[in-house]
Structures are given as structure tokens and as C-alpha cells.
Amino acid sequence: MKFKHIAPFMVLVLAACEKQLDLSPVTNLTNVTYYKTADDAKAALGACYSQIGGTDPFLDLATSDDGVPFLTGSADRPLLWRYNITPSNTFISNYAGAYSGINRSNIVLGRLPGISMDESLKKRYIAEAKFLRALHYFNLVRLYGDVPIVTTETTSLDGLAVSRDPADKVYELIEADLKEAESVLPKTYPASESGRATQGAAKGMLARVYLTRAGTTAGSPYWAQAAAKAKEVMDLGVYDLYANFADAFAISARGGKENIFEIQNLTDVKGHTLGRGYGVRSAPIYPGTGSGIARPSPSLFNLYSDKDTRKAVTFLTSYVYNGVTTTLSSTDPDFTKAIAFQKLWDKPAKTLEGTSIPILRYSDVLLMYAEATNEASNGPTTDAYAALNKVRTRAGLTALSGLPYAQFKEAVWLERRLELTFENSRRFDLIRTGRLLDAVKAENSFARNATIQPFHVLMPIPQTDMDANPNLKQNPGY
């Protein structure tokens, strides 16, 4: 996000790293002197945006069928990949960071009503905070299931001793927050405020929530709700696909017509990301350099036809050094020869700009609409085909037609995997469609032999958070 101001909190917040209260003030300001002006309100909201994020991209890759980690033995990465998962695994520790973000939103929601400022701007700031709180809770409930609902500022140690609430109640809060946000947030912002939550972002996230809640239930009313909400995004007249797939990830596309909501990174003058860098690279730029934590699975790479223009954008398949071209492989166990993910690879820039991390793109909305309409209508409609084929033809693939219900559904599922690779979507898609176990077992390259069980659709509550709060109960199986 393009926010430079972080609120100086004297309040008690849940620390993302240490899983405990942060009692240290950032400045000498106190609650007595802070939260008094419109600038204070803007800074407090900016602190909310600084905490946003999704799940760790490695978690999505390693616990689905899309990625293969580097390292061997008992390191956390291969243990996660093989589903030998314990609450101490460092890659499932999003819990406290999400609650830190939730607490920042709760501070805004509790403090802003008392600030004397423009009322329309105040309402918008509150709507933005509710959108961000909903985003955190949506990630939490999909990762961990039942989680504590906290809707007020945490101001004491007693505020940490909370119990888990049913997932249905969490979804009720998510839906309520997003509905309020969509009723207040504007369609667009001036370029100087690019990156803020919009009406389209709230509607799009609601569509994703409804799609998730529909799950595998035929005839669920959530299908029609998901289709209707996605259509509302489409009818806003704000969003569209770029002609070329690569353009959606260019620096120039930040805040652009395809990126409905994203994390906008800043970089230094050499193009190095300041903050969250999600480039998971598995091959060197030239011998002896490079880094990474995961490579694409062979099954993922082989899904892309040579006609699919997304293939070259998503993967690095060769590099040139000293005039010599080295071809990379999806099956060679030598990580220096591995095909790499490059879709979100940070690109050198000579200005204070950087690539963005997509949270919701317009192509995702189109595919959600196609899937939900097919389910709600018990078969694809003309509009469902138009949405699916808009994504396919942009990628250089032929338009589909004449498919029955089941084949159309599978075509949309395949398109989501090809279009949204490395965007934290695959694991959640597999879970909501009931395919996680089969997909993980089928991807057995590099002797994965995953010991996945039905309880693995949820991650364990991190052990540090369990230790800090005796009222938490661990998920079954862990």
C-alpha cells in the first residue's frame, strides 16, 4: 500500500513476531494527545494498511500441488510439504500477525468516532478499517477454522485470554464488515491514493466469501450470492483485463484496471523490495548466485500448453550468462537447474517503485462468476462462458463451448490454477472444492510421499500462541 505514515501506538497490540503484547511506544505521544485530528486518523488507518497481507506464499505452494521446497531432512519446509506438520512449524505462524492487524482496525473503529473531522471522510476511514478487519478474519478462518472474535481494542493483558468462536460466527462478522464497506467505499480514488480499499474490492471479497461458504454443496444459496456479487464488480465499469497477461504484474499496473486490491511495495533506487518480497526464485541469475525456497511442481508446469502466454510470464525456464544459455528443468533435483517462479519477481526500478502483491485481480472475479453461475444454474450460461473465455483468450487459448455442467466446472477449476498460480489461491481452492487430499497425494514428484489426513484441511494454531493463551484449544489431529 502507498502509505508512509505509521501511527504511534501507546495502546497494547498483538505483536506479529513475538506473539505477545508490545508495550513500547513508537514515539512519546500518548493516547491523551493522539487520536485528536484528521491527520491522526489518517495515520492510524495507514498503520492498518501496513499490516495487511495474505498467507505466506510458501504455505500455499508447499501444502498444495503447486510447489516443491528446497532443503531436505527435518527442516520446516519439507516437513510442511510432506504434511508432517506440527504447531511449531514456522510457516504456519500467521495467527498473531493477523490479530495485530485486527487490533489496529479495532483501534480505528473505536477511536475515530470521537475525532472532530470531515464526517464523510471519517465514514470512509471506518469502512476501510472494516474491510481490512474482514480480510484478516477471512484468512484466519480459512487457515484455522474456529478463531476468537475480537471487535474492540485490546487494552490489557486480560484482553488476550480469549476463546475460539465458531467459524459460522466468524463468517457472519466478515460478511457484515464487507457489506458495510461496500456501501460506503468509493469506486475509485485519485492516483495519489491508489491502493486503498474500494467498493469493488469489498464486493469482490464478498464474492470470494460466498464461493468459499458454498463449498461442495449443490444447490447452496451461496452460489447465487457469489455470482450476483461478482457480477456487481463486473458491472461497475471500473475493471478489465490488460491485453497482455504480463502487464497485470508490471510496475505501471499498480492501482490499474485489473488489480482490484493489492499490496503495493516500495523499493529502493536499485529495485530491491522494502518490506514484503514474495519473489520465490529457485534458479540463479548466473552460476553461484540466486536464492529461493520453492520450485514449481512438474505437474503444475506441465499443465501449461506452449500456446499459453502465461507460461513464459509465470516461469523462468532458461537464463543467459557470458553468452551461454542454460535451460532449466522441472525434474532435475539440482536446485540450481530448477525452473523458477518469476511471476512476482521484483523487477529493477530506478524510481521509488516496486511490484505489487495481488490479493484480488479482475480475472479472479471473472472466474468466480463463471463457476458460481454454472453451479447456480446447474449448467453454464452464455454469460458464464463469456467470463471464462475472456480469461482464456487473453492467454492465447481457444474459447470453450458446448460443455455440460461437470466439464465446465472442471474447466474453470483448471483455469483458476493456470491464471492464479503463486497468488495464494491454490490451497484454498482445493479445500473449498473438496480436492485437497487427492491433489496432494497425486503430486508425488521428488519422493514427496505426503502423509496428508482429512484434519489437514486446517492448520494447527501456532504453539507460541497456544502457550500465550490457555483458553485456546488446538485443532484436532495436532
Side-chain angles (χ1 to χ4, degrees):
M1 312 306 295
K2 289 165 62 175
F3 293 93
K4 298 179 181 179
H5 304 290
I6 304 297
F9 292 112
M10 274 295 293
V11 298
L12 303 177
V13 296
L14 299 176
C17 296
E18 297 182 3
K19 318 304 194 286
Q20 56 186 275
L21 290 178
D22 178 6
L23 302 178
S24 302
V26 177
T27 74
N28 61 356
L29 294 177
T30 68
N31 287 335
V32 176
T33 59
Y34 204 61
Y35 307 115
K36 297 294 184 181
T37 69
D39 285 343
D40 296 340
K42 182 178 181 180
L45 182 61
C48 296
Y49 276 102
S50 72
Q51 193 65 35
I52 66 170
T55 60
D56 191 311
F58 179 77
L59 178 67
D60 180 69
L61 293 173
T63 61
S64 68
D65 51 354
D66 273 359
V68 179
F70 299 138
L71 304 181
T72 58
S74 60
D76 279 352
R77 294 169 186 169
L79 289 176
L80 189 71
W81 176 59
R82 293 193 170 96
Y83 273 84
N84 185 5
I85 303 172
T86 69
S88 298
N89 193 295
T90 56
F91 288 95
I92 52 97
S93 58
N94 186 58
Y95 185 90
Y99 274 104
S100 177
I102 288 168
N103 194 54
R104 293 185 184 195
S105 289
N106 288 341
I107 290 168
V108 170
L109 298 175
R111 301 280 183 168
L112 259 64
I115 295 179
S116 179
M117 59 181 290
D118 179 82
E119 286 298 318
S120 62
L121 185 60
K122 180 190 295 185
K123 289 180 180 178
R124 197 196 83 191
Y125 283 178
I126 288 173
E128 289 179 70
K130 288 203 169 186
F131 172 87
L132 296 172
R133 183 171 71 177
L135 184 61
H136 287 301
Y137 270 120
F138 190 37
N139 287 329
L140 284 169
V141 74
R142 291 184 295 169
L143 281 172
Y144 306 110
D146 299 348
V147 293
I149 295 176
V150 183
T151 57
T152 58
E153 177 183 349
T154 301
T155 57
S156 71
L157 289 170
D158 292 339
L160 292 179
V162 290
S163 300
R164 300 173 71 173
D165 291 290
D168 284 346
K169 294 295 184 182
V170 181
Y171 274 112
E172 288 176 10
L173 175 63
I174 294 168
E175 185 175 348
D177 278 354
L178 290 175
K179 282 184 173 179
E180 180 170 338
E182 72 168 335
S183 70
V184 175
L185 294 175
K187 291 182 181 180
T188 60
Y189 291 94
S192 61
E193 296 193 85
S194 170
R196 289 185 178 273
T198 61
Q199 183 182 127
K203 289 179 181 295
M205 291 307 299
L206 266 173
R208 186 179 286 176
V209 168
Y210 293 144
L211 201 73
T212 301
R213 299 209 73 185
T216 59
T217 305
S220 169
Y222 287 118
W223 290 118
Q225 289 178 274
K229 199 55 64 175
K231 187 65 162 61
E232 289 178 21
V233 179
M234 296 159 64
D235 290 343
L236 286 174
V238 174
Y239 307 106
D240 201 356
L241 300 183
Y242 288 102
N244 299 310
F245 181 68
D247 291 344
F249 309 101
I251 290 175
S252 59
R254 295 199 310 176
K257 63 182 180 179
E258 187 167 341
N259 300 312
I260 300 175
F261 194 66
E262 60 193 340
I263 301 173
Q264 295 184 356
N265 287 322
L266 293 177
T267 62
D268 64 16
V269 293
K270 295 181 179 179
H272 300 125
T273 295
L274 303 174
R276 303 178 69 88
Y278 280 4
V280 177
R281 212 172 73 233
S282 57
I285 301 304
Y286 52 86
T289 73
S291 62
I293 59 174
R295 63 192 293 167
S297 66
S299 65
L300 172 64
F301 180 75
N302 292 333
L303 276 179
Y304 290 82
S305 74
D306 290 337
K307 295 179 180 179
D308 195 326
T309 58
R310 295 170 297 198
K311 188 174 186 178
V313 177
T314 304
F315 306 110
L316 178 71
T317 57
S318 65
Y319 66 88
V320 179
Y321 178 66
N322 282 346
V324 178
T325 299
T326 298
T327 301
L328 304 174
S329 168
S330 64
T331 57
D332 193 320
D334 183 349
F335 83 92
T336 66
K337 299 177 181 177
I339 287 173
F341 290 104
Q342 65 170 2
K343 185 178 186 179
L344 304 182
W345 186 8
D346 294 336
K347 298 174 178 63
K350 294 183 179 180
T351 60
L352 290 176
E353 297 181 309
T355 54
S356 296
I357 310 302
I359 292 179
L360 180 64
R361 288 195 295 117
Y362 186 59
S363 58
D364 191 352
V365 171
L366 292 173
L367 294 174
M368 287 193 289
Y369 175 76
E371 181 179 352
T373 300
N374 182 56
E375 294 288 346
S377 305
N378 197 30
T381 64
T382 300
D383 287 344
Y385 270 114
L388 172 60
N389 286 330
K390 188 175 179 70
V391 177
R392 285 181 56 84
T393 55
R394 195 264 295 267
L397 304 178
T398 57
L400 298 177
S401 62
L403 299 178
Y405 158 80
Q407 290 183 22
F408 185 88
K409 175 171 65 175
E410 291 176 358
V412 175
W413 287 350
L414 173 60
E415 210 59 39
R416 288 187 64 83
R417 190 178 185 189
L418 297 172
E419 176 74 17
L420 303 174
T421 294
F422 203 53
E423 295 183 43
N424 287 320
S425 294
R426 181 60 175 169
R427 174 181 169 82
F428 291 141
D429 275 352
L430 289 173
I431 291 173
R432 69 174 179 80
T433 57
R435 297 177 292 146
L436 179 66
L437 272 70
D438 289 342
V440 169
K441 291 176 181 177
E443 173 42 60
N444 201 36
S445 61
F446 300 96
R448 182 181 194 178
N449 298 320
T451 56
I452 188 171
Q453 300 295 325
F455 69 82
H456 282 125
V457 295
L458 296 178
M459 288 287 110
I461 302 293
Q463 190 60 50
T464 49
D465 298 290
M466 293 290 297
D467 294 341
N469 180 4
N471 288 339
L472 289 178
K473 304 298 181 184
Q474 186 57 271
N475 280 325
Y478 295 104

